[in-house]
Amino acid sequence: MSLFVGYGASFYKTGDDFEGVIGKAEVAYYITPTATVKLGGIRDFVDSFYSNYYTNTGGYLKYDQMFGGFLLVSLSGDVNWRDYSTTTPYLSDPAFPYSDREEVWVGGKLYAEAKAKAWLSFFAS
């Protein structure tokens, strides 16, 4: 288990600033010495093109499998809710009202890493 809690603050010239709690929580279960399942959640803020920032709140599920001690294969999926801050005046456009923009993002990832030497590996995502 892991839990990270912090405080985030931003300072922009115009528009809203972020100020609040950020963090990450994760629970890992080792099925075998070479297979792991992880379930976690995250809350953070990120700079945005549409407004000063958006808050990202979501969860993920990840499966890691090691083959022969040199090949790692990982499969993950996540769901995130993004809540954008109020749009700054220079980005406002009546055709695109981003002031109340909220989105749900769903994603998945397949990752493979092969270790050739202790200091050299190759990966694909």
Side-chain angles (χ1 to χ4, degrees):
M1 260 194 264
S2 64
L3 177 65
F4 299 95
V5 178
Y7 174 79
S10 64
F11 306 98
Y12 300 101
K13 289 182 181 181
T14 61
D16 293 342
D17 292 326
F18 177 84
E19 187 173 353
V21 176
I22 57 175
K24 179 179 178 180
E26 183 178 86
V27 176
Y29 178 70
Y30 293 87
I31 300 167
T32 68
T34 61
T36 309
V37 174
K38 296 178 181 177
L39 178 65
I42 189 166
R43 170 157 169 86
D44 203 352
F45 74 99
V46 181
D47 288 336
S48 169
F49 289 111
Y50 302 117
S51 60
N52 286 344
Y53 68 90
Y54 63 86
T55 56
N56 188 48
T57 308
Y60 61 90
L61 180 62
K62 183 177 180 183
Y63 176 75
D64 294 329
Q65 178 70 54
M66 179 69 79
F67 296 99
F70 69 92
L71 176 65
L72 171 68
V73 176
S74 178
L75 178 63
S76 63
D78 59 13
V79 176
N80 294 288
W81 177 58
R82 295 181 176 183
D83 185 15
Y84 290 80
S85 69
T86 303
T87 306
T88 53
Y90 59 89
L91 293 176
S92 295
D93 183 343
F96 301 100
Y98 291 115
S99 61
D100 295 325
R101 184 175 181 150
E102 296 176 357
E103 300 173 339
V104 174
W105 282 60
V106 178
K109 183 176 180 181
L110 177 61
Y111 173 87
E113 180 177 351
K115 198 159 68 166
K117 300 276 186 185
W119 51 270
L120 178 65
S121 64
F122 300 94
F123 64 92
S125 179

